[in-house]
Amino acid sequence: MDHVVLLRSNHGDGYSFNSCTHLNNLTLKDYIGRPRKDWTDKDWLQEAHIMVHSPWIDKEEREYWRDKIKELRNKINPL
């Protein structure tokens, strides 16, 4: 069974929910059992997509993760 993670996003004029189905392939055991130093760019992109929506980070950190998403997308799929 596939799981869908709902992420709450603030767009300035209200909140919306986005589904994040690309997380289906990552189990908790996989996440814990693999050191970050061994992560690929795709792994970091998944992490960035999660972190950018974290309610525990400030505006500066959120901007960092947005920039990291752009950087990794361009690195993985150059135009």
Side-chain angles (χ1 to χ4, degrees):
M1 177 178 153
D2 286 340
H3 294 85
V4 175
V5 176
L6 292 178
L7 302 171
R8 185 175 138 187
S9 304
N10 182 354
H11 297 287
D13 58 348
Y15 289 95
S16 67
F17 288 92
N18 301 309
S19 64
C20 198
T21 57
H22 66 275
L23 301 175
N24 292 344
N25 299 328
L26 185 66
T27 67
L28 181 59
K29 185 176 180 180
D30 293 337
Y31 181 84
I32 292 172
R34 199 160 148 230
R36 287 183 176 199
K37 66 181 177 80
D38 296 338
W39 283 11
T40 65
D41 289 337
K42 286 186 178 186
D43 295 326
W44 280 110
L45 184 58
Q46 283 184 329
E47 178 76 0
H49 277 288
I50 294 167
M51 290 304 296
V52 77
H53 297 288
S54 173
W56 297 284
I57 64 173
D58 61 23
K59 186 177 180 178
E60 196 173 290
E61 288 175 290
R62 196 169 317 282
E63 192 61 37
Y64 166 82
W65 287 112
R66 284 186 185 124
D67 291 342
K68 186 56 79 174
I69 289 170
K70 290 176 191 173
E71 174 191 325
L72 290 168
R73 277 185 186 160
N74 290 335
K75 189 174 180 183
I76 292 170
N77 297 315
L79 295 177

